[in-house]
Amino acid sequence: QLTQSPSSLSASLGDSVTITCRASEDIGRSLAWYQQKPGKAPKLLMSSASTVQSGVPSRFSGGGSGTDFTLTISSLQPEDFATYHCQQVKSYPLSFGGGTKVEIK
Amino acid sequence: QLQLQQSGPQLVKPSETLSLTCTVSGDSITGNDDYWGWIRQPPGKGLEWIASIYYRGNSFYTPSLKSRVLITIDAARAQFYLNLTSVTAADTAIYYCARGGFWRGYYFDYWGQGALVTVSS
């Protein structure tokens, strides 16, 4: 089980925001983060908790291990307003968090 | 560039079977480290992993749907499939197919475009 918080947040351009994902058991660093825009499929941002995928801007960073993980977006840009999902990738059955919607204040 | 193209009906009647196809192009479906999966997302809600399969047929299922779901693969056609039986309104969702890994990690790096399937009479 993965619990994301908050479920939604409002922020301004240029703000830094942090999203949290908590696992119900120790998953090491086996966590992925996705970004999803309305009407689109999720896009992989990060694997292994903090490994940024090719092409993802450096303002995205991930951290944590064990049960507590974070996704931080520094200096929010217009294209960053989206929903973010975490996924445990340690073992089957796979599971996702409930998602965090980042909206413009 | 790997591409996944989904196809299947947009409307399914309650108690019937939902059947979806995902066609893989731009790379082989028989990659040694590739698992092929289905994920769904009810309107306005979060993502739910359904099942994943390897080209040799090894498969995994989410426990809550295991009794109603079958994932299969046809490597020669570069396609994999989802069958979900005895559907109800609760199965209304956007269904995605995606490529996952095994040794590199179970995350999904390529996704299909998604298809809204509505269960209604």
Side-chain angles (χ1 to χ4, degrees), chain A residues 32 34 36 40-42 44 47 85 87 89-94 96-98, chain B residues 35 39 41 46-49 52 60-61 63 96 106-109 111-112:
Chain A
Y34 299 85
Q36 186 179 28
K40 299 293 186 183
L44 179 66
S47 60
H85 306 272
Q87 180 204 1
V89 295
K90 180 174 176 60
S91 63
Y92 287 104
L94 306 177
F96 291 87
Chain B
Y35 266 73
I39 301 101
Q41 184 173 36
L47 300 167
E48 178 183 27
W49 170 74
S52 293
F60 298 92
Y61 294 92
Y96 295 99
Y106 300 146
Y107 53 82
F108 296 102
D109 55 359
W111 294 65

PDB file of all heavy atoms in Angstrom, chain A residues 32 34 36 40-42 44 47 85 87 89-94 96-98, chain B residues 35 39 41 46-49 52 60-61 63 96 106-109 111-112:
ATOM      1  N   ALA A  32       8.988   4.447  -8.101  1.00  0.00           N
ATOM      2  CA  ALA A  32       8.985   5.246  -9.317  1.00  0.00           C
ATOM      3  C   ALA A  32       7.989   6.387  -9.178  1.00  0.00           C
ATOM      4  O   ALA A  32       7.004   6.279  -8.432  1.00  0.00           O
ATOM      5  CB  ALA A  32       8.621   4.387 -10.523  1.00  0.00           C
ATOM      6  N   TYR A  34       5.682   9.235 -11.573  1.00  0.00           N
ATOM      7  CA  TYR A  34       5.131   9.560 -12.884  1.00  0.00           C
ATOM      8  C   TYR A  34       4.442  10.918 -12.836  1.00  0.00           C
ATOM      9  O   TYR A  34       3.904  11.319 -11.803  1.00  0.00           O
ATOM     10  CB  TYR A  34       4.076   8.526 -13.313  1.00  0.00           C
ATOM     11  CG  TYR A  34       4.591   7.112 -13.434  1.00  0.00           C
ATOM     12  CD1 TYR A  34       4.655   6.286 -12.318  1.00  0.00           C
ATOM     13  CD2 TYR A  34       4.999   6.599 -14.660  1.00  0.00           C
ATOM     14  CE1 TYR A  34       5.118   4.986 -12.423  1.00  0.00           C
ATOM     15  CE2 TYR A  34       5.464   5.293 -14.775  1.00  0.00           C
ATOM     16  CZ  TYR A  34       5.515   4.504 -13.644  1.00  0.00           C
ATOM     17  OH  TYR A  34       5.979   3.211 -13.758  1.00  0.00           O
ATOM     18  N   GLN A  36       1.365  12.971 -14.908  1.00  0.00           N
ATOM     19  CA  GLN A  36       0.259  12.762 -15.832  1.00  0.00           C
ATOM     20  C   GLN A  36      -0.483  14.064 -16.074  1.00  0.00           C
ATOM     21  O   GLN A  36      -0.950  14.705 -15.132  1.00  0.00           O
ATOM     22  CB  GLN A  36      -0.714  11.708 -15.298  1.00  0.00           C
ATOM     23  CG  GLN A  36      -1.816  11.349 -16.286  1.00  0.00           C
ATOM     24  CD  GLN A  36      -2.762  10.287 -15.759  1.00  0.00           C
ATOM     25  OE1 GLN A  36      -2.968  10.161 -14.548  1.00  0.00           O
ATOM     26  NE2 GLN A  36      -3.338   9.514 -16.648  1.00  0.00           N
ATOM     27  N   LYS A  40      -3.838  12.467 -20.987  1.00  0.00           N
ATOM     28  CA  LYS A  40      -2.616  11.822 -21.456  1.00  0.00           C
ATOM     29  C   LYS A  40      -2.234  10.643 -20.570  1.00  0.00           C
ATOM     30  O   LYS A  40      -2.660  10.545 -19.417  1.00  0.00           O
ATOM     31  CB  LYS A  40      -1.451  12.822 -21.448  1.00  0.00           C
ATOM     32  CG  LYS A  40      -1.662  14.024 -22.360  1.00  0.00           C
ATOM     33  CD  LYS A  40      -1.676  13.619 -23.811  1.00  0.00           C
ATOM     34  CE  LYS A  40      -1.732  14.835 -24.719  1.00  0.00           C
ATOM     35  NZ  LYS A  40      -1.828  14.436 -26.159  1.00  0.00           N
ATOM     36  N   ALA A  41      -1.417   9.762 -21.121  1.00  0.00           N
ATOM     37  CA  ALA A  41      -0.880   8.660 -20.342  1.00  0.00           C
ATOM     38  C   ALA A  41       0.181   9.176 -19.373  1.00  0.00           C
ATOM     39  O   ALA A  41       0.807  10.213 -19.617  1.00  0.00           O
ATOM     40  CB  ALA A  41      -0.260   7.613 -21.263  1.00  0.00           C
ATOM     41  N   PRO A  42       0.386   8.486 -18.275  1.00  0.00           N
ATOM     42  CA  PRO A  42       1.473   8.865 -17.353  1.00  0.00           C
ATOM     43  C   PRO A  42       2.825   8.816 -18.061  1.00  0.00           C
ATOM     44  O   PRO A  42       3.039   8.029 -18.982  1.00  0.00           O
ATOM     45  CB  PRO A  42       1.392   7.804 -16.258  1.00  0.00           C
ATOM     46  CG  PRO A  42      -0.031   7.356 -16.270  1.00  0.00           C
ATOM     47  CD  PRO A  42      -0.411   7.378 -17.726  1.00  0.00           C
ATOM     48  N   LEU A  44       6.944   8.484 -17.178  1.00  0.00           N
ATOM     49  CA  LEU A  44       7.902   8.124 -16.145  1.00  0.00           C
ATOM     50  C   LEU A  44       8.879   9.263 -15.910  1.00  0.00           C
ATOM     51  O   LEU A  44       9.541   9.726 -16.835  1.00  0.00           O
ATOM     52  CB  LEU A  44       8.666   6.860 -16.567  1.00  0.00           C
ATOM     53  CG  LEU A  44       9.742   6.356 -15.602  1.00  0.00           C
ATOM     54  CD1 LEU A  44       9.106   5.866 -14.290  1.00  0.00           C
ATOM     55  CD2 LEU A  44      10.548   5.231 -16.245  1.00  0.00           C
ATOM     56  N   SER A  47      12.994   6.636 -11.515  1.00  0.00           N
ATOM     57  CA  SER A  47      12.997   5.257 -11.036  1.00  0.00           C
ATOM     58  C   SER A  47      13.981   5.147  -9.876  1.00  0.00           C
ATOM     59  O   SER A  47      14.739   6.092  -9.610  1.00  0.00           O
ATOM     60  CB  SER A  47      13.407   4.314 -12.174  1.00  0.00           C
ATOM     61  OG  SER A  47      14.709   4.640 -12.636  1.00  0.00           O
ATOM     62  N   HIS A  85       2.091  10.612  -9.636  1.00  0.00           N
ATOM     63  CA  HIS A  85       1.792   9.308  -9.032  1.00  0.00           C
ATOM     64  C   HIS A  85       3.081   8.628  -8.629  1.00  0.00           C
ATOM     65  O   HIS A  85       4.073   8.675  -9.370  1.00  0.00           O
ATOM     66  CB  HIS A  85       1.100   8.380 -10.047  1.00  0.00           C
ATOM     67  CG  HIS A  85      -0.121   8.925 -10.693  1.00  0.00           C
ATOM     68  ND1 HIS A  85      -1.393   8.795 -10.139  1.00  0.00           N
ATOM     69  CD2 HIS A  85      -0.287   9.598 -11.855  1.00  0.00           C
ATOM     70  CE1 HIS A  85      -2.277   9.353 -10.947  1.00  0.00           C
ATOM     71  NE2 HIS A  85      -1.643   9.856 -11.987  1.00  0.00           N
ATOM     72  N   GLN A  87       4.741   4.773  -7.513  1.00  0.00           N
ATOM     73  CA  GLN A  87       4.498   3.345  -7.743  1.00  0.00           C
ATOM     74  C   GLN A  87       5.592   2.546  -7.058  1.00  0.00           C
ATOM     75  O   GLN A  87       6.773   2.845  -7.233  1.00  0.00           O
ATOM     76  CB  GLN A  87       4.511   3.015  -9.233  1.00  0.00           C
ATOM     77  CG  GLN A  87       4.267   1.533  -9.546  1.00  0.00           C
ATOM     78  CD  GLN A  87       4.819   1.100 -10.892  1.00  0.00           C
ATOM     79  OE1 GLN A  87       5.421   1.879 -11.638  1.00  0.00           O
ATOM     80  NE2 GLN A  87       4.617  -0.165 -11.222  1.00  0.00           N
ATOM     81  N   VAL A  89       7.883  -0.549  -6.949  1.00  0.00           N
ATOM     82  CA  VAL A  89       8.385  -1.461  -7.978  1.00  0.00           C
ATOM     83  C   VAL A  89       9.290  -2.524  -7.360  1.00  0.00           C
ATOM     84  O   VAL A  89      10.158  -3.081  -8.018  1.00  0.00           O
ATOM     85  CB  VAL A  89       9.108  -0.683  -9.103  1.00  0.00           C
ATOM     86  CG1 VAL A  89       8.138   0.211  -9.843  1.00  0.00           C
ATOM     87  CG2 VAL A  89      10.267   0.123  -8.553  1.00  0.00           C
ATOM     88  N   LYS A  90       9.047  -2.812  -6.080  1.00  0.00           N
ATOM     89  CA  LYS A  90       9.876  -3.807  -5.415  1.00  0.00           C
ATOM     90  C   LYS A  90       9.428  -5.229  -5.756  1.00  0.00           C
ATOM     91  O   LYS A  90      10.244  -6.127  -5.961  1.00  0.00           O
ATOM     92  CB  LYS A  90       9.837  -3.625  -3.886  1.00  0.00           C
ATOM     93  CG  LYS A  90      10.683  -4.651  -3.145  1.00  0.00           C
ATOM     94  CD  LYS A  90      10.736  -4.370  -1.665  1.00  0.00           C
ATOM     95  CE  LYS A  90      11.499  -5.449  -0.901  1.00  0.00           C
ATOM     96  NZ  LYS A  90      12.902  -5.532  -1.387  1.00  0.00           N
ATOM     97  N   SER A  91       8.116  -5.435  -5.786  1.00  0.00           N
ATOM     98  CA  SER A  91       7.627  -6.788  -6.005  1.00  0.00           C
ATOM     99  C   SER A  91       6.188  -6.767  -6.504  1.00  0.00           C
ATOM    100  O   SER A  91       5.470  -5.776  -6.346  1.00  0.00           O
ATOM    101  CB  SER A  91       7.708  -7.598  -4.699  1.00  0.00           C
ATOM    102  OG  SER A  91       6.873  -7.018  -3.716  1.00  0.00           O
ATOM    103  N   TYR A  92       5.781  -7.877  -7.096  1.00  0.00           N
ATOM    104  CA  TYR A  92       4.382  -8.046  -7.475  1.00  0.00           C
ATOM    105  C   TYR A  92       3.575  -8.455  -6.252  1.00  0.00           C
ATOM    106  O   TYR A  92       4.088  -9.169  -5.391  1.00  0.00           O
ATOM    107  CB  TYR A  92       4.250  -9.122  -8.554  1.00  0.00           C
ATOM    108  CG  TYR A  92       4.737  -8.675  -9.915  1.00  0.00           C
ATOM    109  CD1 TYR A  92       5.964  -9.096 -10.414  1.00  0.00           C
ATOM    110  CD2 TYR A  92       3.967  -7.820 -10.703  1.00  0.00           C
ATOM    111  CE1 TYR A  92       6.410  -8.679 -11.657  1.00  0.00           C
ATOM    112  CE2 TYR A  92       4.405  -7.403 -11.950  1.00  0.00           C
ATOM    113  CZ  TYR A  92       5.618  -7.836 -12.422  1.00  0.00           C
ATOM    114  OH  TYR A  92       6.054  -7.425 -13.654  1.00  0.00           O
ATOM    115  N   PRO A  93       2.307  -8.038  -6.107  1.00  0.00           N
ATOM    116  CA  PRO A  93       1.575  -7.171  -7.037  1.00  0.00           C
ATOM    117  C   PRO A  93       2.026  -5.718  -6.952  1.00  0.00           C
ATOM    118  O   PRO A  93       2.257  -5.194  -5.861  1.00  0.00           O
ATOM    119  CB  PRO A  93       0.122  -7.324  -6.581  1.00  0.00           C
ATOM    120  CG  PRO A  93       0.221  -7.640  -5.122  1.00  0.00           C
ATOM    121  CD  PRO A  93       1.470  -8.452  -4.964  1.00  0.00           C
ATOM    122  N   LEU A  94       2.145  -5.082  -8.106  1.00  0.00           N
ATOM    123  CA  LEU A  94       2.539  -3.692  -8.160  1.00  0.00           C
ATOM    124  C   LEU A  94       1.405  -2.808  -7.644  1.00  0.00           C
ATOM    125  O   LEU A  94       0.234  -3.182  -7.680  1.00  0.00           O
ATOM    126  CB  LEU A  94       2.878  -3.316  -9.603  1.00  0.00           C
ATOM    127  CG  LEU A  94       3.909  -4.210 -10.290  1.00  0.00           C
ATOM    128  CD1 LEU A  94       4.099  -3.778 -11.741  1.00  0.00           C
ATOM    129  CD2 LEU A  94       5.227  -4.201  -9.538  1.00  0.00           C
ATOM    130  N   PHE A  96       0.150   1.591  -6.969  1.00  0.00           N
ATOM    131  CA  PHE A  96       0.346   3.015  -7.134  1.00  0.00           C
ATOM    132  C   PHE A  96      -0.233   3.755  -5.934  1.00  0.00           C
ATOM    133  O   PHE A  96      -1.154   3.278  -5.273  1.00  0.00           O
ATOM    134  CB  PHE A  96      -0.390   3.520  -8.387  1.00  0.00           C
ATOM    135  CG  PHE A  96       0.192   3.060  -9.692  1.00  0.00           C
ATOM    136  CD1 PHE A  96      -0.196   1.852 -10.250  1.00  0.00           C
ATOM    137  CD2 PHE A  96       1.120   3.837 -10.365  1.00  0.00           C
ATOM    138  CE1 PHE A  96       0.322   1.428 -11.465  1.00  0.00           C
ATOM    139  CE2 PHE A  96       1.651   3.427 -11.585  1.00  0.00           C
ATOM    140  CZ  PHE A  96       1.244   2.216 -12.126  1.00  0.00           C
ATOM    141  N   GLY A  97       0.290   4.943  -5.695  1.00  0.00           N
ATOM    142  CA  GLY A  97      -0.322   5.835  -4.736  1.00  0.00           C
ATOM    143  C   GLY A  97      -1.571   6.460  -5.348  1.00  0.00           C
ATOM    144  O   GLY A  97      -1.856   6.275  -6.533  1.00  0.00           O
ATOM    145  N   GLY A  98      -2.300   7.214  -4.557  1.00  0.00           N
ATOM    146  CA  GLY A  98      -3.549   7.795  -5.004  1.00  0.00           C
ATOM    147  C   GLY A  98      -3.412   9.005  -5.912  1.00  0.00           C
ATOM    148  O   GLY A  98      -4.403   9.461  -6.495  1.00  0.00           O
TER     149      GLY A  98
ATOM    150  N   TYR B  35       8.552  -6.815 -19.632  1.00  0.00           N
ATOM    151  CA  TYR B  35       7.252  -7.319 -19.266  1.00  0.00           C
ATOM    152  C   TYR B  35       6.226  -6.334 -19.814  1.00  0.00           C
ATOM    153  O   TYR B  35       6.471  -5.135 -19.865  1.00  0.00           O
ATOM    154  CB  TYR B  35       7.093  -7.438 -17.742  1.00  0.00           C
ATOM    155  CG  TYR B  35       7.419  -8.806 -17.209  1.00  0.00           C
ATOM    156  CD1 TYR B  35       8.731  -9.251 -17.131  1.00  0.00           C
ATOM    157  CD2 TYR B  35       6.408  -9.667 -16.803  1.00  0.00           C
ATOM    158  CE1 TYR B  35       9.021 -10.518 -16.653  1.00  0.00           C
ATOM    159  CE2 TYR B  35       6.697 -10.932 -16.311  1.00  0.00           C
ATOM    160  CZ  TYR B  35       8.004 -11.354 -16.244  1.00  0.00           C
ATOM    161  OH  TYR B  35       8.300 -12.606 -15.779  1.00  0.00           O
ATOM    162  N   ILE B  39      -2.772  -1.360 -17.101  1.00  0.00           N
ATOM    163  CA  ILE B  39      -3.066  -0.498 -15.955  1.00  0.00           C
ATOM    164  C   ILE B  39      -4.372   0.225 -16.289  1.00  0.00           C
ATOM    165  O   ILE B  39      -4.626   0.558 -17.441  1.00  0.00           O
ATOM    166  CB  ILE B  39      -1.932   0.551 -15.754  1.00  0.00           C
ATOM    167  CG1 ILE B  39      -0.585  -0.139 -15.522  1.00  0.00           C
ATOM    168  CG2 ILE B  39      -2.262   1.484 -14.604  1.00  0.00           C
ATOM    169  CD1 ILE B  39       0.306  -0.186 -16.729  1.00  0.00           C
ATOM    170  N   GLN B  41      -7.462   3.288 -14.940  1.00  0.00           N
ATOM    171  CA  GLN B  41      -7.677   4.498 -14.153  1.00  0.00           C
ATOM    172  C   GLN B  41      -9.140   4.895 -14.257  1.00  0.00           C
ATOM    173  O   GLN B  41      -9.572   5.445 -15.278  1.00  0.00           O
ATOM    174  CB  GLN B  41      -6.778   5.635 -14.664  1.00  0.00           C
ATOM    175  CG  GLN B  41      -6.843   6.906 -13.853  1.00  0.00           C
ATOM    176  CD  GLN B  41      -5.817   7.921 -14.309  1.00  0.00           C
ATOM    177  OE1 GLN B  41      -5.516   8.038 -15.502  1.00  0.00           O
ATOM    178  NE2 GLN B  41      -5.270   8.674 -13.364  1.00  0.00           N
ATOM    179  N   GLY B  46      -7.146   7.349  -9.213  1.00  0.00           N
ATOM    180  CA  GLY B  46      -5.751   6.966  -9.369  1.00  0.00           C
ATOM    181  C   GLY B  46      -5.559   5.764 -10.269  1.00  0.00           C
ATOM    182  O   GLY B  46      -6.506   5.181 -10.797  1.00  0.00           O
ATOM    183  N   LEU B  47      -4.302   5.398 -10.432  1.00  0.00           N
ATOM    184  CA  LEU B  47      -3.925   4.284 -11.296  1.00  0.00           C
ATOM    185  C   LEU B  47      -4.012   2.957 -10.547  1.00  0.00           C
ATOM    186  O   LEU B  47      -3.690   2.881  -9.361  1.00  0.00           O
ATOM    187  CB  LEU B  47      -2.492   4.486 -11.799  1.00  0.00           C
ATOM    188  CG  LEU B  47      -2.239   5.752 -12.623  1.00  0.00           C
ATOM    189  CD1 LEU B  47      -0.741   5.993 -12.772  1.00  0.00           C
ATOM    190  CD2 LEU B  47      -2.898   5.640 -13.986  1.00  0.00           C
ATOM    191  N   GLU B  48      -4.416   1.925 -11.269  1.00  0.00           N
ATOM    192  CA  GLU B  48      -4.471   0.570 -10.701  1.00  0.00           C
ATOM    193  C   GLU B  48      -3.794  -0.387 -11.675  1.00  0.00           C
ATOM    194  O   GLU B  48      -4.238  -0.530 -12.820  1.00  0.00           O
ATOM    195  CB  GLU B  48      -5.914   0.141 -10.455  1.00  0.00           C
ATOM    196  CG  GLU B  48      -6.033  -1.278  -9.913  1.00  0.00           C
ATOM    197  CD  GLU B  48      -7.465  -1.744  -9.737  1.00  0.00           C
ATOM    198  OE1 GLU B  48      -8.354  -1.243 -10.463  1.00  0.00           O
ATOM    199  OE2 GLU B  48      -7.710  -2.615  -8.889  1.00  0.00           O
ATOM    200  N   TRP B  49      -2.745  -1.050 -11.218  1.00  0.00           N
ATOM    201  CA  TRP B  49      -2.096  -2.077 -12.028  1.00  0.00           C
ATOM    202  C   TRP B  49      -2.995  -3.305 -12.077  1.00  0.00           C
ATOM    203  O   TRP B  49      -3.532  -3.726 -11.056  1.00  0.00           O
ATOM    204  CB  TRP B  49      -0.741  -2.429 -11.443  1.00  0.00           C
ATOM    205  CG  TRP B  49      -0.117  -3.627 -12.081  1.00  0.00           C
ATOM    206  CD1 TRP B  49       0.451  -3.702 -13.325  1.00  0.00           C
ATOM    207  CD2 TRP B  49      -0.020  -4.938 -11.529  1.00  0.00           C
ATOM    208  NE1 TRP B  49       0.907  -4.979 -13.567  1.00  0.00           N
ATOM    209  CE2 TRP B  49       0.622  -5.756 -12.476  1.00  0.00           C
ATOM    210  CE3 TRP B  49      -0.423  -5.501 -10.322  1.00  0.00           C
ATOM    211  CZ2 TRP B  49       0.890  -7.107 -12.257  1.00  0.00           C
ATOM    212  CZ3 TRP B  49      -0.160  -6.842 -10.085  1.00  0.00           C
ATOM    213  CH2 TRP B  49       0.484  -7.631 -11.053  1.00  0.00           C
ATOM    214  N   SER B  52       0.627  -8.195 -15.727  1.00  0.00           N
ATOM    215  CA  SER B  52       1.800  -8.095 -16.587  1.00  0.00           C
ATOM    216  C   SER B  52       2.181  -9.468 -17.100  1.00  0.00           C
ATOM    217  O   SER B  52       1.933 -10.485 -16.422  1.00  0.00           O
ATOM    218  CB  SER B  52       2.987  -7.488 -15.835  1.00  0.00           C
ATOM    219  OG  SER B  52       2.763  -6.135 -15.490  1.00  0.00           O
ATOM    220  N   PHE B  60       1.682 -12.133 -14.082  1.00  0.00           N
ATOM    221  CA  PHE B  60       1.362 -11.715 -12.722  1.00  0.00           C
ATOM    222  C   PHE B  60       0.038 -10.957 -12.763  1.00  0.00           C
ATOM    223  O   PHE B  60      -0.241 -10.259 -13.739  1.00  0.00           O
ATOM    224  CB  PHE B  60       2.442 -10.789 -12.163  1.00  0.00           C
ATOM    225  CG  PHE B  60       3.797 -11.412 -12.052  1.00  0.00           C
ATOM    226  CD1 PHE B  60       4.715 -11.311 -13.094  1.00  0.00           C
ATOM    227  CD2 PHE B  60       4.172 -12.110 -10.913  1.00  0.00           C
ATOM    228  CE1 PHE B  60       5.964 -11.873 -13.003  1.00  0.00           C
ATOM    229  CE2 PHE B  60       5.435 -12.683 -10.811  1.00  0.00           C
ATOM    230  CZ  PHE B  60       6.328 -12.564 -11.860  1.00  0.00           C
ATOM    231  N   TYR B  61      -0.733 -11.062 -11.671  1.00  0.00           N
ATOM    232  CA  TYR B  61      -2.042 -10.421 -11.612  1.00  0.00           C
ATOM    233  C   TYR B  61      -2.235  -9.700 -10.280  1.00  0.00           C
ATOM    234  O   TYR B  61      -1.722 -10.135  -9.248  1.00  0.00           O
ATOM    235  CB  TYR B  61      -3.158 -11.462 -11.748  1.00  0.00           C
ATOM    236  CG  TYR B  61      -3.205 -12.151 -13.093  1.00  0.00           C
ATOM    237  CD1 TYR B  61      -2.524 -13.343 -13.312  1.00  0.00           C
ATOM    238  CD2 TYR B  61      -3.938 -11.598 -14.144  1.00  0.00           C
ATOM    239  CE1 TYR B  61      -2.568 -13.971 -14.551  1.00  0.00           C
ATOM    240  CE2 TYR B  61      -3.992 -12.225 -15.385  1.00  0.00           C
ATOM    241  CZ  TYR B  61      -3.296 -13.409 -15.584  1.00  0.00           C
ATOM    242  OH  TYR B  61      -3.359 -14.031 -16.802  1.00  0.00           O
ATOM    243  N   PRO B  63      -4.298  -9.167  -7.083  1.00  0.00           N
ATOM    244  CA  PRO B  63      -5.174 -10.136  -6.405  1.00  0.00           C
ATOM    245  C   PRO B  63      -6.662  -9.827  -6.512  1.00  0.00           C
ATOM    246  O   PRO B  63      -7.477 -10.744  -6.661  1.00  0.00           O
ATOM    247  CB  PRO B  63      -4.693 -10.066  -4.944  1.00  0.00           C
ATOM    248  CG  PRO B  63      -3.271  -9.628  -5.043  1.00  0.00           C
ATOM    249  CD  PRO B  63      -3.227  -8.675  -6.202  1.00  0.00           C
ATOM    250  N   TYR B  96      -4.846   1.403 -19.951  1.00  0.00           N
ATOM    251  CA  TYR B  96      -3.567   1.644 -20.600  1.00  0.00           C
ATOM    252  C   TYR B  96      -2.793   0.337 -20.725  1.00  0.00           C
ATOM    253  O   TYR B  96      -2.807  -0.484 -19.799  1.00  0.00           O
ATOM    254  CB  TYR B  96      -2.704   2.595 -19.775  1.00  0.00           C
ATOM    255  CG  TYR B  96      -3.217   3.996 -19.606  1.00  0.00           C
ATOM    256  CD1 TYR B  96      -3.890   4.382 -18.448  1.00  0.00           C
ATOM    257  CD2 TYR B  96      -2.999   4.964 -20.592  1.00  0.00           C
ATOM    258  CE1 TYR B  96      -4.351   5.683 -18.277  1.00  0.00           C
ATOM    259  CE2 TYR B  96      -3.452   6.273 -20.430  1.00  0.00           C
ATOM    260  CZ  TYR B  96      -4.128   6.614 -19.278  1.00  0.00           C
ATOM    261  OH  TYR B  96      -4.568   7.906 -19.112  1.00  0.00           O
ATOM    262  N   TYR B 106      10.452  -2.780 -12.193  1.00  0.00           N
ATOM    263  CA  TYR B 106       9.092  -3.041 -12.641  1.00  0.00           C
ATOM    264  C   TYR B 106       8.343  -1.780 -13.050  1.00  0.00           C
ATOM    265  O   TYR B 106       7.139  -1.805 -13.239  1.00  0.00           O
ATOM    266  CB  TYR B 106       8.300  -3.738 -11.536  1.00  0.00           C
ATOM    267  CG  TYR B 106       8.852  -5.060 -11.082  1.00  0.00           C
ATOM    268  CD1 TYR B 106       8.743  -5.449  -9.745  1.00  0.00           C
ATOM    269  CD2 TYR B 106       9.487  -5.931 -11.956  1.00  0.00           C
ATOM    270  CE1 TYR B 106       9.239  -6.668  -9.297  1.00  0.00           C
ATOM    271  CE2 TYR B 106       9.987  -7.148 -11.528  1.00  0.00           C
ATOM    272  CZ  TYR B 106       9.856  -7.508 -10.197  1.00  0.00           C
ATOM    273  OH  TYR B 106      10.346  -8.709  -9.771  1.00  0.00           O
ATOM    274  N   TYR B 107       9.036  -0.658 -13.181  1.00  0.00           N
ATOM    275  CA  TYR B 107       8.361   0.556 -13.587  1.00  0.00           C
ATOM    276  C   TYR B 107       8.017   0.501 -15.077  1.00  0.00           C
ATOM    277  O   TYR B 107       8.593  -0.275 -15.824  1.00  0.00           O
ATOM    278  CB  TYR B 107       9.232   1.782 -13.286  1.00  0.00           C
ATOM    279  CG  TYR B 107      10.625   1.699 -13.851  1.00  0.00           C
ATOM    280  CD1 TYR B 107      10.895   2.021 -15.187  1.00  0.00           C
ATOM    281  CD2 TYR B 107      11.689   1.278 -13.048  1.00  0.00           C
ATOM    282  CE1 TYR B 107      12.164   1.920 -15.693  1.00  0.00           C
ATOM    283  CE2 TYR B 107      12.968   1.170 -13.554  1.00  0.00           C
ATOM    284  CZ  TYR B 107      13.202   1.494 -14.880  1.00  0.00           C
ATOM    285  OH  TYR B 107      14.457   1.390 -15.385  1.00  0.00           O
ATOM    286  N   PHE B 108       7.063   1.366 -15.496  1.00  0.00           N
ATOM    287  CA  PHE B 108       6.578   1.367 -16.876  1.00  0.00           C
ATOM    288  C   PHE B 108       7.140   2.581 -17.608  1.00  0.00           C
ATOM    289  O   PHE B 108       6.838   3.722 -17.245  1.00  0.00           O
ATOM    290  CB  PHE B 108       5.043   1.393 -16.879  1.00  0.00           C
ATOM    291  CG  PHE B 108       4.446   0.162 -16.256  1.00  0.00           C
ATOM    292  CD1 PHE B 108       3.936   0.191 -14.970  1.00  0.00           C
ATOM    293  CD2 PHE B 108       4.398  -1.038 -16.961  1.00  0.00           C
ATOM    294  CE1 PHE B 108       3.383  -0.948 -14.385  1.00  0.00           C
ATOM    295  CE2 PHE B 108       3.855  -2.182 -16.400  1.00  0.00           C
ATOM    296  CZ  PHE B 108       3.347  -2.140 -15.102  1.00  0.00           C
ATOM    297  N   ASP B 109       7.943   2.316 -18.640  1.00  0.00           N
ATOM    298  CA  ASP B 109       8.605   3.435 -19.316  1.00  0.00           C
ATOM    299  C   ASP B 109       7.963   3.838 -20.641  1.00  0.00           C
ATOM    300  O   ASP B 109       8.205   4.951 -21.118  1.00  0.00           O
ATOM    301  CB  ASP B 109      10.099   3.146 -19.502  1.00  0.00           C
ATOM    302  CG  ASP B 109      10.374   1.846 -20.226  1.00  0.00           C
ATOM    303  OD1 ASP B 109       9.411   1.120 -20.587  1.00  0.00           O
ATOM    304  OD2 ASP B 109      11.573   1.542 -20.421  1.00  0.00           O
ATOM    305  N   TRP B 111       4.071   3.853 -22.641  1.00  0.00           N
ATOM    306  CA  TRP B 111       2.645   3.652 -22.430  1.00  0.00           C
ATOM    307  C   TRP B 111       1.873   3.800 -23.737  1.00  0.00           C
ATOM    308  O   TRP B 111       2.270   4.574 -24.617  1.00  0.00           O
ATOM    309  CB  TRP B 111       2.102   4.698 -21.448  1.00  0.00           C
ATOM    310  CG  TRP B 111       2.636   4.581 -20.056  1.00  0.00           C
ATOM    311  CD1 TRP B 111       3.933   4.763 -19.635  1.00  0.00           C
ATOM    312  CD2 TRP B 111       1.889   4.275 -18.875  1.00  0.00           C
ATOM    313  NE1 TRP B 111       4.035   4.579 -18.278  1.00  0.00           N
ATOM    314  CE2 TRP B 111       2.795   4.282 -17.787  1.00  0.00           C
ATOM    315  CE3 TRP B 111       0.538   3.995 -18.629  1.00  0.00           C
ATOM    316  CZ2 TRP B 111       2.383   4.017 -16.474  1.00  0.00           C
ATOM    317  CZ3 TRP B 111       0.127   3.741 -17.333  1.00  0.00           C
ATOM    318  CH2 TRP B 111       1.041   3.747 -16.265  1.00  0.00           C
ATOM    319  N   GLY B 112       0.773   3.083 -23.833  1.00  0.00           N
ATOM    320  CA  GLY B 112      -0.157   3.315 -24.917  1.00  0.00           C
ATOM    321  C   GLY B 112      -0.939   4.598 -24.671  1.00  0.00           C
ATOM    322  O   GLY B 112      -0.785   5.247 -23.627  1.00  0.00           O
TER     323      GLY B 112
END
